[in-house]
Amino acid sequence: MSNKSDGIVEKIWDIFSSMKTGLVLLGIVALVSGIGTLVPQVSLDPEGADAVADIWKTLGFTNIYASPWFQFLLGLLCINLIVCSVQRFGGIYKLSFQPKPPQEHSALPQKIYSQVTSKDGEALKQRTQKVLKKKGYYVTQLEKEGSWNFIAQKHRLGNWGSFVTHISFVILVIGALIGSLGGFKGYLMAGEGSVTPIQQIEISKGQVKDDFMVKINSVEDRILPNGERDNWYTDLSIIESGEEVARKSISVNHPLTYKGITFYQASYAPGGLFNVKVKGEEYPVVLQNGGGNFFNAPGTNLFLVMSAMKTDPQEPVILYQVFDETKQVKMGQLTLGQTETIQDDYSITFEKAAGFTGLQVKEDPGVWIVWLGSGLLMLGLLLSFYWRPVRVAGIMNLEKDHEEYELALGAFTGKFNMGIKEEFDSIVAELKDVNQVTK
C-alpha cells in the first residue's frame, strides 16, 4: 500500500513539476481572461451582463474573475510554479554558492575557450587569482595532484533571477485570491449631509464585515478661475459608536482608508438640499439632479424628485415633480429660498445647491501581498536582464609541458551571452600581459 501511495505522489509531483503543465495552465488562464474581456462582467457592466444568454451566466462567464473555477485554475498554476521552484532551488543554490571546479579538460567550455602559458607556474596561478579578484569574481579553487582547478563567478545573484520571477507570480496570484475571497468591492452614491451605514452600500463583489457609518459632510465640484475643473472633493467622516473616528477631504487619486477599507472619489452629480415639512415635522432632504433619488413623505403615497437643475452657483433653479403611485400630481420651479406647498400639511423649501458624491469602496486584504509580489517581480527581472552571471573555469597543469606551464580556461554561456566573450577576452589579455598585472 505504501509503495502504491508513493507512486501516486510521484506521478502527481511529476505532473506539476512539468513545464508543459505550466504552459497549458497559462494558456487556459489566458484564454479564459480573453473571454472575460469580450463577455460583459457584472462588476463593470451590470446591464450588459444581464443581457447575456442564460447559459453564459450559469457557467459564470459574466463574473469570470470571481468564479470558483477560475480561482481553481489560478490555484493549480500556483502549485505548478511552487513545485517547479522547489525542484530548481537546490541546483540554483549549488550553482551560486557551492560551485564545483571542473575535474577534466573535457569539462571546460569549448565555445569560449583559450590557453595561457608561462614558464613560472606559481606566478601564473597568482596572476590569475589577482585578475579575477580585481574584476569582481568569487573564485572557488581545487588543487589535486598534478593540476590546479578553479571556477570563478561574477554576479552570482543573477542565477536567482528566473527563480525570484516565478516566486513573484505565485505571490501575486495568492494576493489576488486573498483579495477576492476575503475582501469586497462596492459603490456609494450619497448626498451632502447624509449618513450611510457601511453595510448598506451597493456591493458588486464580496461581503462587508465591518459596521460603522459614513457621513458626507460636504461635496464640491471645484472650478478654477479660468473655468477648468480642478477636482471633485468630498469631506468624509467615519462614525463609529457615535464618535467621529476619522475624517478627510478626499479627491480623485487621494482616497481615505479606514480599517483596511478604502474610499475612492469616483464621480459627482449636482443636487439640492430641501427643508421638507410634513404634518409639523421637518426633514432635511438632499435630492439628486435628474431624478437619481426620491423622498417619500411620511404618512403619504407621494414621492418628490428633482427632475432638472440650473447649476449656476449664484442663482440655482430647480424643477421638481411630485408623483403618487400611478401619476404625476404636481410639478413646479423653485429658486433659492423659495417655498412651495404640495398639500395642506406638506411643503418644501429649496435651501441650497448640494452635490452628490460617487465613491468606490474597496477592501482588499491581499493588496500588500500583491505589492510584495510586484516588487519581487521587478527584482527578478532586474537580476535576469541586468545582473547576468558570468562563470569562468580553468585548469592549469602543475607539471611543465615543453618547459612551460599551461592554463586552459573557458567561459560558460547561457541563453544570453552578450558581453561574455568581451569579458573573457579582457581576462585572457591581462593574464598574458604580465607587466600590466604586476603594476
Side-chain angles (χ1 to χ4, degrees), residues 93-344:
Y93 181 85
K94 290 180 179 179
L95 178 65
S96 301
F97 304 110
Q98 297 176 350
K100 292 184 178 180
Q103 300 288 323
E104 305 292 340
H105 280 76
S106 59
L108 289 174
Q110 299 298 311
K111 188 174 181 180
I112 301 179
Y113 177 86
S114 186
Q115 293 179 341
V116 179
T117 58
S118 174
K119 292 182 179 181
D120 188 341
E122 186 61 29
L124 178 57
K125 176 181 173 182
Q126 292 181 6
R127 192 159 74 244
T128 303
Q129 293 174 331
K130 186 175 181 179
V131 169
L132 292 171
K133 184 177 180 181
K134 184 180 73 172
K135 288 184 173 291
Y137 286 83
Y138 180 83
V139 182
T140 301
Q141 307 177 62
L142 173 65
E143 287 197 25
K144 63 179 187 176
E145 186 179 353
S147 69
W148 171 62
N149 305 27
F150 74 88
I151 184 167
Q153 290 195 86
K154 185 178 184 179
H155 299 163
R156 288 185 296 170
L157 294 180
N159 294 314
W160 296 89
S162 61
F163 181 86
V164 173
T165 301
H166 281 102
I167 292 298
S168 71
F169 279 115
V170 173
I171 294 174
L172 284 169
V173 172
I174 291 174
L177 288 175
I178 290 175
S180 177
L181 297 173
F184 74 87
K185 185 177 181 181
Y187 187 78
L188 170 64
M189 175 63 82
E192 184 175 313
S194 65
V195 180
T196 306
I198 188 68
Q199 294 281 346
Q200 293 183 10
I201 69 172
E202 182 181 340
I203 300 296
S204 59
K205 183 182 72 172
Q207 184 177 3
V208 180
K209 302 180 181 66
D210 284 281
D211 186 15
F212 55 80
M213 313 291 281
V214 182
K215 181 179 181 182
I216 309 301
N217 300 305
S218 65
V219 182
E220 181 182 5
D221 180 14
R222 190 174 297 174
I223 305 298
L224 297 173
N226 61 6
E228 295 182 358
R229 174 170 282 108
D230 174 20
N231 209 327
W232 295 321
Y233 293 89
T234 300
D235 187 349
L236 179 69
S237 291
I238 305 297
I239 310 297
E240 196 163 16
S241 300
E243 299 289 333
E244 183 181 77
V245 293
R247 182 170 181 171
K248 182 179 179 181
S249 179
I250 69 171
S251 58
V252 177
N253 299 324
H254 296 87
L256 165 67
T257 299
Y258 178 71
K259 286 188 173 181
I261 300 176
T262 303
F263 297 83
Y264 299 91
Q265 182 71 61
S267 62
Y268 169 87
L273 172 64
F274 297 82
N275 181 30
V276 180
K277 292 183 179 181
V278 182
K279 298 178 181 180
E281 296 290 333
E282 294 189 6
Y283 304 91
V285 176
V286 182
L287 296 177
Q288 184 180 337
N289 185 27
N293 64 334
F294 61 84
F295 172 73
N296 177 211
T300 75
N301 63 345
L302 300 179
F303 298 86
L304 171 67
V305 299
M306 188 173 77
S307 54
M309 180 179 187
K310 177 185 176 184
T311 57
D312 186 336
Q314 302 299 323
E315 297 181 359
V317 179
I318 66 98
L319 179 67
Y320 72 89
Q321 291 175 288
V322 180
F323 298 88
D324 63 13
E325 296 176 348
T326 59
K327 62 184 182 302
Q328 176 181 298
V329 297
K330 192 162 187 177
M331 180 176 69
Q333 178 177 296
L334 290 174
T335 57
L336 197 62
Q338 186 177 355
T339 300
E340 183 75 18
T341 299
I342 307 301
Q343 287 185 348
D344 293 340

